[in-house]
Amino acid sequence: MAVLILTTAFVAFFLSEGLVVKAEVATYIAAVYEHHVILNPEPRVPIEREAALVHMNKNLDVFEEQAASAAKQGAQIIVFPEDGIHGYNFTRISIVGYLETVPDPRVVTWSPCTESDRFPNTEVLQRLSCMALKNHLFLVANMPDRQDCDNLTDPHCPPDGRYQFNTDVVFSDNGTLIARYHKLNLFHEEEYDTPPECEHITFTTPFAGKFGVFTCFDILFYEPVMFLLKNTSVKQFVFPTAWMNKLPLLAAVQFQRSFSYATGITLLAANLQGNGRMTGSGIYTPWHAVYHHDKEGKSGKLLVSKVPVLDPPMMEDGEESYKLKLVPFSRLSRGVLSEPPTFISNMMNDNFTFVPLQGVEGNLKVCDGSLCCHLWFRRSGPEEELYALGAFQGLHAPLGTYYLEVCALVKCNGTKYGSCGVGTDHAQTVVDFRLQGTFSTQYIYPGVLGSEMTLDRPDESGWESKSEFYMTRKGMATGLVTAVLYGRVYEKDGYGKRCP
Ligand SMILES: *[C@@H]1O[C@H](CO)[C@@H](O)[C@H](O)[C@H]1NC(C)=O
Ligand SMILES: *[C@@H]1O[C@H](CO)[C@@H](O)[C@H](O)[C@H]1NC(C)=O
Ligand SMILES: *[C@@H]1O[C@H](CO)[C@@H](O)[C@H](O)[C@H]1NC(C)=O
Ligand SMILES: *[C@@H]1O[C@H](CO)[C@@H](O)[C@H](O)[C@H]1NC(C)=O
Ligand SMILES: *[C@@H]1O[C@H](CO)[C@@H](O)[C@H](O)[C@H]1NC(C)=O
Ligand SMILES: *[C@@H]1O[C@H](CO)[C@@H](O)[C@H](O)[C@H]1NC(C)=O
């Protein structure tokens, strides 16, 4: 279990300019709650509405305590995780008792708490609305939404005459439902439909301006979050998630940190705790992270933190253009490029081409197709710890839905080459490095993970030339587990007609 504070120097990579915020900028207090979800033990068996409510009220009881506790600590907004009220692993039929029809807040102005009779069958919405009202905070939660449709006139309408959406709902501090977001990128969720149209949802708070909304698997795709970022310049996001950790590259806090850092946004990430693999929540600004990763996974965790406002209209001349400066990584001699034999090893289902690190210092290169990764390194610590530099370019398998360009320096799980790419979370070797790759995409998420899930950060990162992205880090306080430049080639995904 770790709750740590990380200070980062910040550069934004995707935009030609970065953010510099003055010390006296406005702030607000945000909370995220990592919830140890109480599950329906037989989620694939249909149950009546009454039984579904009994189940959901157990989770809502916990939410109620946490919302009150957050409010006591001054929180103005709280985010609860995806699947936190109902759980997961349902079928299309078995989730029916859990569904409520969430009206579109762009059309209907409604406070479920104070106008409870207006729409039937909305007990969960009512409880959430009352929590927001009673505690005077903005509240974000996730629930299953049912929208009836006519399969004769709507070509996307499912044969059973209703859409079932994985849905985020947002309430203002007076209990009004102010935003509804239907998750676009589903992850093996047979109970849910993909929304027929791509939604770009934001909401506005009086204390921090605009926030965008997205959920879980969405974080790996262009739509809807990158669109919001680029198109509406929203710089604050709420992110309910139910993320299964996967080292070496995609542990929850690891990627949340990289995402916020690389895009220059605030991310309020609330993860579920469940099935032994889900944990990892945090409040991330481009500069700081307050986060939680619970190895035991036995109890929930409320994080509360003061956060600078990142809404450009609300930042008093806080935004300044900032040119990336390249400072050569001077303390490492680049030495002679060595080309040890490559080997292939599977990392998170992709076949990476690796080269091992040999000696205490070196200069290595490994390529996969047109992606070449370069590493200059100097290591200290136990010599028996094996590290390797890997390159992968291609469609991530077996899902085959997203295209990657990845340069990764990883600590292998053992001393054999075949253990490179297998997740491990501890390391004793301190590695000073400069990692660089020839990417075709502009969307690179740099990440540095230390031993025992300690989030670290690059000293520096950015474009060295049009196609060469680099990061450097030296003098880490913990052993290095993973250093990665995780590139996403969004333009190869294809969304059809759903999104503009
Ligand atoms: C969902 O249920 C199936 C079968 O009942 C089980 O094998 C699987 O592990 C469950 N998934 C999760 C995420 O718990
Ligand atoms: C259309 O939906 C209704 C229920 O609303 C269902 O009874 C009917 O079978 C559906 N028709 C088709 C063609 O799927
Ligand atoms: C409730 O909050 C919303 C959003 O902040 C605001 O637009 C609305 O005027 C408020 N309603 C009342 C009755 O105060
Ligand atoms: C914003 O979105 C519209 C389409 O909805 C698109 O035409 C426009 O180019 C986008 N602008 C930016 C800056 O991405
Ligand atoms: C990865 O390599 C193994 C062994 O060489 C091969 O069997 C497998 O098909 C490869 N997987 C992919 C996705 O290319
Ligand atoms: C990683 O190494 C440890 C210690 O040798 C071992 O117990 C574990 O099974 C390995 N993990 C995998 C996935 O092989």
Side-chain angles (χ1 to χ4, degrees):
M1 185 159 78
V3 180
L4 296 171
I5 298 189
L6 179 86
T7 318
T8 75
F10 166 67
V11 281
F13 310 120
F14 296 172
L15 315 164
S16 53
E17 58 187 315
L19 278 172
V20 177
V21 171
K22 299 254 150 74
E24 68 275 18
V25 291
T27 58
Y28 61 101
I29 299 181
V32 301
Y33 181 61
E34 176 161 314
H35 179 47
H36 187 89
V37 63
I38 299 160
L39 292 170
N40 171 344
E42 293 189 311
R44 305 181 73 84
V45 178
I47 56 172
E48 296 298 323
R49 174 69 179 164
E50 276 314 309
L53 280 174
V54 168
H55 170 214
M56 291 193 283
N57 276 325
K58 290 183 192 160
N59 286 307
L60 287 165
D61 289 346
V62 180
F63 282 26
E64 197 146 328
E65 287 164 20
Q66 298 302 325
S69 167
K72 238 185 241 152
Q73 295 174 62
Q76 292 156 287
I77 181 168
I78 185 166
V79 183
F80 289 106
E82 183 186 29
D83 300 340
I85 300 170
H86 55 286
Y88 46 77
N89 225 351
F90 295 95
T91 69
R92 185 169 182 86
I93 303 294
S94 72
I95 202 172
V96 168
Y98 288 84
L99 303 173
E100 295 191 4
T101 297
V102 182
D104 185 350
R106 290 167 299 189
V107 177
V108 173
T109 303
W110 178 44
S111 167
C113 187
T114 55
E115 305 163 76
S116 56
D117 297 337
R118 184 151 162 210
F119 298 102
N121 201 39
T122 53
E123 290 87 344
V124 171
L125 285 162
Q126 289 168 35
R127 268 198 91 174
L128 293 170
S129 164
C130 291
M131 264 180 234
L133 174 65
K134 186 171 157 205
N135 296 295
H136 305 291
L137 40 64
F138 281 66
L139 185 147
V140 182
N142 175 274
M143 60 189 285
D145 176 22
R146 165 187 184 141
Q147 296 291 327
D148 291 333
C149 53
D150 184 343
N151 53 18
L152 296 177
T153 54
D154 176 355
H156 302 291
C157 183
D160 56 12
R162 61 173 186 273
Y163 290 107
Q164 299 182 177
F165 296 124
N166 178 329
T167 305
D168 295 331
V169 288
V170 184
F171 298 89
S172 94
D173 55 2
N174 61 27
T176 305
L177 178 70
I178 54 168
R180 179 191 77 178
Y181 166 68
H182 294 139
K183 182 183 181 186
L184 181 65
N185 299 284
L186 297 173
F187 184 82
H188 303 290
E189 296 164 80
E190 63 174 281
E191 63 272 45
Y192 288 129
D193 298 305
T194 299
E197 279 172 6
C198 177
E199 300 175 1
H200 300 116
I201 302 298
T202 63
F203 63 94
T204 305
T205 63
F207 51 83
K210 253 189 188 176
F211 287 82
V213 187
F214 69 112
T215 294
C216 204
F217 201 35
D218 285 337
I219 200 170
L220 291 178
F221 296 88
Y222 187 85
E223 290 288 359
V225 58
M226 293 308 299
F227 180 93
L228 277 172
L229 242 161
K230 294 205 131 190
N231 218 287
T232 66
S233 67
V234 178
K235 293 192 184 304
Q236 310 173 116
F237 288 87
V238 294
F239 180 58
T241 186
W243 188 277
M244 282 183 273
N245 285 289
K246 189 79 177 126
L247 284 168
L249 305 182
L250 290 177
V253 294
Q254 179 186 23
F255 200 69
Q256 290 162 11
R257 170 66 294 179
S258 293
F259 190 83
S260 154
Y261 174 76
T263 58
I265 61 152
T266 293
L267 186 67
L268 307 181
N271 200 359
L272 201 66
Q273 222 178 64
N275 82 355
R277 287 180 57 197
M278 289 188 230
T279 179
S281 306
I283 296 172
Y284 307 85
T285 73
W287 306 274
H288 304 277
V290 175
Y291 64 99
H292 177 73
H293 174 94
D294 189 345
K295 258 189 163 176
E296 303 295 318
K298 292 209 175 93
S299 60
K301 176 77 184 177
L302 180 68
L303 300 175
V304 180
S305 178
K306 195 194 246 188
V307 188
V309 171
L310 285 192
D311 186 324
M314 291 181 73
M315 290 157 64
E316 297 154 32
D317 71 0
E319 198 171 10
E320 291 169 2
S321 73
Y322 176 89
K323 283 248 152 60
L324 280 177
K325 257 194 313 190
L326 177 67
V327 181
F329 196 52
S330 54
R331 284 180 57 199
L332 276 184
S333 87
R334 297 198 175 183
V336 182
L337 183 67
S338 66
E339 299 197 45
T342 62
F343 62 95
I344 307 287
S345 187
N346 189 282
M347 177 147 71
M348 299 178 54
N349 294 322
D350 297 318
N351 284 342
F352 274 69
T353 305
F354 280 103
V355 289
L357 273 59
Q358 294 170 337
V360 294
E361 175 168 341
N363 175 359
L364 299 169
K365 179 178 162 184
V366 65
C367 300
D368 184 19
S370 64
L371 173 71
C372 287
C373 307
H374 245 108
L375 175 77
W376 294 276
F377 75 93
R378 179 186 294 149
R379 60 181 284 176
S380 55
E383 277 166 32
E384 63 277 12
E385 288 193 337
L386 176 64
Y387 282 78
L389 172 67
F392 175 74
Q393 179 181 50
L395 260 191
H396 171 71
L399 289 177
T401 49
Y402 56 104
Y403 195 94
L404 297 175
E405 290 179 345
V406 179
C407 290
L409 166 59
V410 294
K411 179 187 173 265
C412 308
N413 190 47
T415 52
K416 302 248 160 57
Y417 288 172
S419 74
C420 299
V422 174
T424 172
D425 68 356
H426 57 272
Q428 290 172 273
T429 305
V430 172
V431 186
D432 292 349
F433 65 88
R434 177 190 174 98
L435 177 61
Q436 186 166 319
T438 55
F439 294 91
S440 75
T441 179
Q442 61 173 303
Y443 301 101
I444 318 288
Y445 299 90
V448 182
L449 183 66
S451 194
E452 307 300 334
M453 299 303 297
T454 308
L455 295 185
D456 203 281
R457 55 147 177 93
D459 290 325
E460 205 183 292
S461 52
W463 293 96
E464 172 155 292
S465 65
K466 254 208 154 120
S467 68
E468 293 224 54
F469 191 95
Y470 75 97
M471 74 168 155
T472 62
R473 180 72 179 116
K474 57 180 191 254
M476 279 173 68
T478 62
L480 178 71
V481 168
T482 304
V484 61
L485 298 173
Y486 192 87
R488 273 286 285 115
V489 192
Y490 293 126
E491 49 277 30
K492 298 204 177 178
D493 292 344
Y495 277 89
K497 291 205 182 101
R498 280 207 174 90
C499 302

